[in-house]
Amino acid sequence: MSEKNRDNKNRWRNVTIAFRMSPEENEELDLRVKLCGYQTRQEYIIESVLHQKVTAVGNPLMLVQFRKQLRGIEEELKRLTTLEDADEELFTPIRTMLEILNAFAEERNYERRKKEKAQK
């Protein structure tokens, strides 16, 4: 039996939720969890389901995963001769990384505007 967990509000997490995924969906979920910097799938899924929004957690693990994915994308792009040769799976990590980077940019712009307002 696994060890009992508590959430950040000190509530027991003792309910198990299970669902089925295709192997491709499973890989995409793992990729998104890693790219967003979450330690576990559980954290990512709870954040996503309960808040309809996933916040990327900037940390060294996230940077390592970005580099790893970018190297893989680079290798795949070198292999391709035309864009028609690219399969949809190549674009999944690219879309995820762009979503994360755009969110960071929006947050930075929001913080800058907030700071400018405070200075006026």
Side-chain angles (χ1 to χ4, degrees):
M1 191 157 118
S2 63
E3 190 175 320
K4 292 184 178 181
N5 293 323
R6 291 184 184 263
D7 67 3
N8 59 358
K9 294 183 180 177
N10 205 27
R11 298 177 292 206
W12 284 112
R13 282 192 170 157
N14 59 351
V15 176
T16 300
I17 305 293
F19 54 93
R20 296 181 188 278
M21 299 178 80
S22 70
E24 296 81 12
E25 291 168 330
N26 184 45
E27 287 178 24
E28 184 173 345
L29 176 62
D30 283 342
L31 175 64
R32 286 179 170 261
V33 169
K34 291 174 184 174
L35 288 175
C36 289
Y38 287 90
Q39 298 295 318
T40 65
R41 289 171 151 207
Q42 176 179 308
E43 291 176 51
Y44 178 88
I45 291 170
I46 289 172
E47 185 74 19
S48 179
V49 171
L50 294 183
H51 303 290
Q52 287 83 42
K53 177 182 172 185
V54 175
T55 306
V57 181
N59 60 31
L61 175 64
M62 180 181 177
L63 292 175
V64 167
Q65 291 303 319
F66 259 66
R67 284 188 195 117
K68 181 179 176 185
Q69 288 301 314
L70 288 172
R71 282 189 200 109
I73 292 166
E74 179 184 24
E75 291 301 315
E76 185 65 17
L77 289 174
K78 286 178 182 177
R79 187 189 66 76
L80 298 175
T81 55
T82 65
L83 188 56
E84 288 80 32
D85 294 339
D87 62 353
E88 183 63 27
E89 291 177 13
L90 174 65
F91 298 106
T92 299
I94 295 171
R95 268 195 304 275
T96 301
M97 288 187 283
L98 284 173
E99 289 171 10
I100 293 167
L101 293 173
N102 284 335
F104 280 146
E106 288 174 18
E107 179 68 22
R108 187 175 56 228
N109 290 337
Y110 171 77
E111 292 297 326
R112 189 181 67 231
R113 287 191 303 269
K114 191 171 149 183
K115 189 175 181 181
E116 288 171 356
K117 266 187 179 178
Q119 290 176 349
K120 289 182 181 183

